Amino acid sequence: MMAHCSTSSSLNPSNLFSHPTFRTKTLSIPRLCSLSSIRIPQSHCATNRSSLRRLPVVAGAVAVDSQASYTDEKEGKKLLLEVKDLTAVITESQQKILNGVNLTVYEGEVHAIMGKNGSGKSTFSKVLVGHPDYEVTGGTAIFKGQDLLEMDPEERSLSGIFMSFQSPVAIPGVSNADFLNMAYNARQRKLGLPELGPIEFFSHVYSKLDQVNMKMDFLNRNVNEGFSGGERKRNEILQLAVLGADLAILDEIDSGLDVDALQDVARAVNGLLTPNNSVLMITHYQRLLDFIKPAYIHIMENGRIVKTGDISLASFLEKEGYKGITAA
């Protein structure tokens, strides 16, 4: 039986992302979805929701009818995410980092973004989830018919966006079981569905452990505390399995994994795919694409997507490198 969480009364989702626990050198991106339910006292926070800044959109940006966009379909699938001419700068330095990103994702699709270091891949994912280190300066991003750029990070999470960490942070004093239970119930409240108590939630989460090859004692351990790199990545996908998401953004989920751990993670992700949800993967290596097959591969360079193709594009990269893409 899982212990009832003793911290739930003192956690505040709107201020979690600025808490010192999460502002480390190894991690500066909010855990969306799974952190949306945790509350931290206001006095512990360095910033607040006003930190999530968006600069005025430049003149001439395309106006989007959000409701019309979500009704767009391709082969019977609804348009899930539509990004047009998205530009952004680093908040502190005002350095331009995204230079007009365009991307369209329909339900049931798997997309992969590849590119050299510094090309803007991870920045793009962070902008999508509302990281305060970046300011949007132009363009639009529509998710399920809603203006994504006008939502706070926790709103984006509860609307159905999940993002995995490159380097998942440890959270001392919070067990996996309590962490997942609180996050799951926050999502249930958003959807108007019944919440689960600790005992009922245990039954729900137990079936998910096999999907990521994790043992039951992981639930009693503090979140990522003392976990190996492979265990942390498995834990990220466990969170995705428990919480569900319309769009899962996997930012280098393959980094630091041996072949066995990569297969476990990939098998779990494949098991979560349905005709109604989508995955956006960011990776440097073809080996992830050997296990999770994307329908589309996008090459990013200088803050823009410069080429889009099918799985054969990854094979071309292996042979020719990014110079071959640029030359083409």
Side-chain angles (χ1 to χ4, degrees), residues 228-292:
S228 68
E231 288 173 336
R232 290 187 180 216
K233 294 300 178 72
R234 285 190 178 96
N235 206 26
E236 293 285 286
I237 303 306
L238 174 63
Q239 293 168 27
L240 174 58
V242 170
L243 299 171
D246 298 303
L247 177 64
I249 302 174
L250 308 181
D251 190 3
E252 298 192 29
I253 194 69
D254 53 333
S255 64
L257 296 184
D258 59 31
V259 174
D260 289 339
L262 178 60
Q263 288 179 335
D264 285 341
V265 167
R267 188 182 304 111
V269 172
N270 286 328
L272 296 172
L273 288 172
T274 74
N276 302 115
N277 61 19
S278 299
V279 171
L280 179 62
M281 304 185 296
I282 295 169
T283 183
H284 285 285
Y285 307 110
Q286 183 179 351
R287 68 171 192 159
L288 177 64
L289 311 185
D290 291 336
F291 297 106
I292 305 175

Side-chain angles (χ1 to χ4, degrees), residues 29 97-98 113 116-129 131 134 163 166 249-252 282-284 300:
I29 181 167
I97 196 78
L98 295 183
I113 296 181
K116 295 182 288 187
N117 288 330
S119 61
K121 305 183 303 298
S122 292
T123 296
F124 176 49
S125 65
K126 293 177 183 180
V127 168
L128 288 179
V129 298
H131 195 284
Y134 303 94
M163 182 168 182
Q166 284 190 39
I249 302 174
L250 308 181
D251 190 3
E252 298 192 29
I282 295 169
T283 183
H284 285 285
M300 184 168 274

Side-chain angles (χ1 to χ4, degrees), residues 4 91 171:
H4 182 71
T91 302
I171 309 177

Side-chain angles (χ1 to χ4, degrees), residues 102-120:
N102 292 281
L103 179 69
T104 300
V105 179
Y106 284 82
E107 292 176 330
E109 293 182 343
V110 177
H111 292 244
I113 296 181
M114 305 181 73
K116 295 182 288 187
N117 288 330
S119 61

